[in-house]
Amino acid sequence: MRDVRKSDQKAAPPHIRFNFAMGLAHGILFQTGMAFSGPMTVLPVFLNHFTVSQMMIGLFSALMSAGGVLPQLLVAHRLETRPRKKPTLVLMIWVRAAIWLALGLLAYFCPPGKPIIVLVALLVLLFGFSFAGGVASIPFTDIWGKALPPTLRGRFFGHRQLWGGLMAVGAGYVVKLILGNPDISFPRNYAFLFLLSFAFIAMSYTALSSVREPKGQSTGPPRGIGLFLRESVRLLWEDRNFGLFILTRLAVGSAAFALPFYVLYGKNELHMAIEQVGILVGAQMAGGILSNLLWGQLSDRVGNRIVIILTAATATAVPLLGLLSSVVGWELLIAVFALIGFSMSGAGIGFTNYLLEIAPEHLRPTYIALQGTSMGLIIVFPILGGLLIDACSYEATFLVTMVALTIGLLLSLRLKEVRKVGE
């Protein structure tokens, strides 16, 4: 593998090439699979068939995050003293795969004229998918913190997103063909997309299940849950840079106010044809692809602070372009989704790798869980965004989002540089 340098191999634990390859396959296949269902493109439009309430659609978007937040501190408490955490990861990822299969079957067989039944079933499935993801995120992140050295993680996550993005562009074209085909009626057109997602997700989890986890530190018997929670919260005050990191992550996460609504703004206000959703999916993936050429190199060679700053700046431009699209036309949403892909890729690389660098190894699950749990505040953002749209307008939500993201950009400038250039 050309991207794995000799210096990286010496610093890395055993099985680096195999783990790199399996992790790369997982990232590519998973990103492709999720592109067929597009939580910010395909899924909101599917939901719009059952409810016209923007608040309800925001609630579903929130559920994609909610379940992921709730279990993280408890999972970190259970796993922090275990030298191997892979069994928990494997169990949860296959639960997630089964849930997405159920989602496809629900869409295919959903009872006509009974939207409440469908909406309740979707609520349960999406919450379960998110909850299992929240449990899996602790061992997943910890494993890569042990398996790869800091100077290889940027390229690892960058290549996952780069090649996954290329595949996802093709997925966006398939979305366009299926949704634009009059011979495939609703809801079976969406069922086909969800089942395609399941197929690729299952293949991605097969690769992830084969990763060989390096043995970590064993720190003795676990602390009591009360002591664990008190000491975990105290970390936010004792490690001031970590506390600032959390605040920055929350402020940049305010992009969630508007994320589910750009596509609906194009459909409902700018008269965008439904088949153009595929173009927006492709634009988002293309933005992620092009940006990964930048993010991976910056992360490994310069550091992750600059990645976070540039991510915040890019995210701030998204709602601004959303506002301008009312003048230019729906076509400007192509640029909006390209920048969404750009900023989301940067966030995935910058925030994850910065956290892995500032977290002590024996406290890594706790740091990961504190970040994940603090993101619980983001859960309400899409709901509030939907309420604001129902009460005022799409433009009001975009404006509030832009102000909050500007605060995030200012906070990111205060983060410490934790790695010397070229280290």
Side-chain angles (χ1 to χ4, degrees):
M1 187 175 305
R2 295 178 181 177
D3 287 298
V4 181
R5 297 180 175 183
K6 292 182 179 179
S7 60
D8 292 329
Q9 295 177 46
K10 293 178 181 178
H15 312 303
I16 180 174
R17 287 181 176 274
F18 179 82
N19 285 342
F20 193 105
M22 291 300 98
L24 186 63
H26 163 254
I28 293 171
L29 293 169
F30 184 82
Q31 188 172 347
T32 305
M34 291 308 296
F36 288 113
S37 301
M40 286 175 294
T41 50
V42 175
L43 194 56
V45 177
F46 176 67
L47 293 171
N48 203 201
H49 285 275
F50 301 98
T51 176
V52 296
S53 170
Q54 303 300 299
M55 186 277 290
M56 279 295 297
I57 293 173
L59 176 62
F60 275 92
S61 180
L63 279 173
M64 295 295 287
S65 303
V69 169
L70 296 176
Q72 291 202 14
L73 278 173
L74 294 178
V75 173
H77 172 250
R78 294 293 300 272
L79 296 183
E80 72 167 349
T81 59
R82 296 183 185 180
R84 298 194 188 277
K85 303 171 177 66
K86 181 182 171 184
T88 301
L89 172 66
V90 172
L91 175 61
M92 288 298 104
I93 61 178
W94 285 107
V95 168
R96 280 164 64 85
I99 287 173
W100 214 261
L101 172 61
L103 178 64
L105 295 175
L106 172 67
Y108 192 85
F109 295 107
C110 67
K114 296 184 178 180
I116 298 299
I117 294 176
V118 176
L119 287 173
V120 170
L122 286 171
L123 277 169
V124 173
L125 289 172
L126 291 177
F127 181 82
F129 183 79
S130 176
F131 189 90
V135 176
S137 67
I138 304 298
F140 176 84
T141 309
D142 183 76
I143 286 171
W144 295 117
K146 293 185 294 185
L148 299 175
T151 53
L152 186 57
R153 293 174 194 151
R155 277 167 287 165
F156 172 69
F157 287 109
H159 277 284
R160 279 164 54 95
Q161 295 178 173
L162 170 63
W163 301 109
L166 283 170
M167 291 281 287
V169 169
Y173 181 69
V174 173
V175 170
K176 185 176 186 298
L177 289 179
I178 291 178
L179 293 184
N181 188 339
D183 295 327
I184 308 177
S185 61
F186 176 87
R188 293 186 177 181
N189 49 359
Y190 288 93
F192 291 152
L193 293 176
F194 296 151
L195 291 172
L196 277 171
S197 287
F198 162 73
F200 277 86
I201 288 171
M203 288 188 289
S204 80
Y205 285 161
T206 300
L208 184 58
S209 297
S210 69
V211 168
R212 299 164 186 170
E213 178 189 9
K215 187 175 182 179
Q217 294 180 358
S218 181
T219 57
R223 295 172 281 173
I225 184 63
L227 177 62
F228 170 80
L229 292 175
R230 289 193 299 274
E231 292 184 349
S232 296
V233 173
R234 192 162 60 237
L235 284 174
L236 295 172
W237 302 103
E238 293 177 348
D239 189 340
R240 295 298 180 88
N241 190 53
F242 179 51
L244 179 60
F245 168 83
I246 294 296
L247 290 176
T248 304
R249 189 75 180 91
L250 282 170
V252 175
S254 66
F257 270 112
L259 281 180
F261 305 113
Y262 294 114
V263 64
L264 297 178
Y265 182 60
K267 173 179 173 288
N268 297 333
E269 301 292 326
L270 305 181
H271 310 295
M272 181 186 73
I274 186 64
E275 60 266 24
Q276 304 305 335
V277 170
I279 293 179
L280 300 185
V281 172
Q284 182 180 336
M285 295 304 108
I289 291 168
L290 294 176
S291 69
N292 282 306
L293 299 173
L294 170 68
W295 300 135
Q297 292 296 321
L298 281 177
S299 174
D300 287 345
R301 300 183 184 279
V302 180
N304 293 294
R305 177 178 176 270
I306 187 63
V307 176
I308 292 173
I309 291 171
L310 293 176
T311 294
T314 305
T316 305
V318 170
L320 174 60
L321 291 181
L323 289 168
L324 292 175
S325 65
S326 63
V327 178
V328 177
W330 77 265
E331 290 82 2
L332 191 58
L333 292 179
I334 298 174
V336 166
F337 277 85
L339 287 181
I340 288 173
F342 204 92
S343 60
M344 289 182 69
S345 294
I349 292 173
F351 284 107
T352 300
N353 290 335
Y354 191 90
L355 177 63
L356 289 174
E357 288 191 283
I358 65 176
E361 181 178 351
H362 67 288
L363 291 175
R364 187 183 293 134
T366 304
Y367 271 65
I368 296 168
L370 281 170
Q371 184 218 213
T373 302
S374 67
M375 293 301 101
L377 294 174
I378 294 178
I379 293 172
V380 301
F381 289 173
I383 300 174
L384 294 175
L387 285 171
L388 187 57
I389 291 171
D390 287 337
C392 299
S393 65
Y394 285 97
E395 290 83 2
T397 293
F398 298 164
L399 182 60
V400 169
T401 304
M402 186 170 63
V403 172
L405 286 168
T406 301
I407 294 173
L409 174 59
L410 295 175
L411 288 173
S412 71
L413 296 171
R414 298 177 56 194
L415 289 171
K416 292 181 181 178
E417 180 56 76
V418 295
R419 194 202 317 164
K420 295 179 182 178
V421 176
E423 183 178 306

